[in-house]
């Protein structure tokens, strides 16, 4: 069973802040079962990566990068399209000197 989205997002933000990064909820979705997008911004290189939540075959959260080589503008456009499609989606933005995402679940391709 997955933890409620609002609790999971709070834990992600806390992990990032404890490590010295800045993390904010840009878009708040359904508190119980909203999907999550995480945008990790590298403040030194001025690059961004976007991670989208999915559910793996085992039922656990799995993270993918829907557009691994996209510019930040393209990532923002993707997030906006997803929000138009799914009004329950969350968007969390993390700013970190090395661009860490602070996800503890599996990240595909990592």
């Amino acid at each position: 069973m997955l933890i409620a989205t609002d609790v999971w997002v709070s834990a992600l933000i806390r992990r990032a802040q404890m490590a010295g990064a800045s993390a904010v909820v840009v878009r708040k979705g359904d508190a119980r079962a909203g999907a999550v997008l995480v945008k990790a911004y590298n403040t030194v290189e001025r690059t961004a990566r976007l991670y989208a939540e999915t559910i793996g075959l085992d039922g656990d959260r799995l993270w993918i990068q829907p557009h691994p080589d996209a510019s930040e503008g393209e990532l923002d456009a993707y997030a906006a399209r997803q929000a138009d499609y799914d009004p329950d989606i969350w968007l969390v933005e993390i700013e970190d000197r090395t661009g860490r995402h602070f996800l503890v679940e599996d990240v595909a391709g990592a």
Side-chain angles (χ1 to χ4, degrees), residues 75-108:
L75 298 178
D76 290 340
Y78 175 84
R81 285 191 308 273
Q82 292 302 308
D84 286 343
Y85 175 74
D86 180 3
D88 293 332
I89 200 164
W90 290 68
L91 176 59
V92 177
E93 289 191 6
I94 300 171
E95 292 185 356
D96 181 60
R97 291 184 52 79
T98 59
R100 294 175 290 176
H101 52 64
F102 299 97
L103 300 168
V104 295
E105 297 86 2
D106 289 336
V107 177

Side-chain angles (χ1 to χ4, degrees), residues 8-30:
W8 185 91
V9 167
S10 294
L12 174 67
I13 289 173
R14 182 77 174 136
R15 274 193 307 275
Q17 290 173 340
M18 288 179 62
S22 172
V24 296
V25 174
V26 174
R27 178 181 170 76
K28 189 174 184 179
D30 183 82

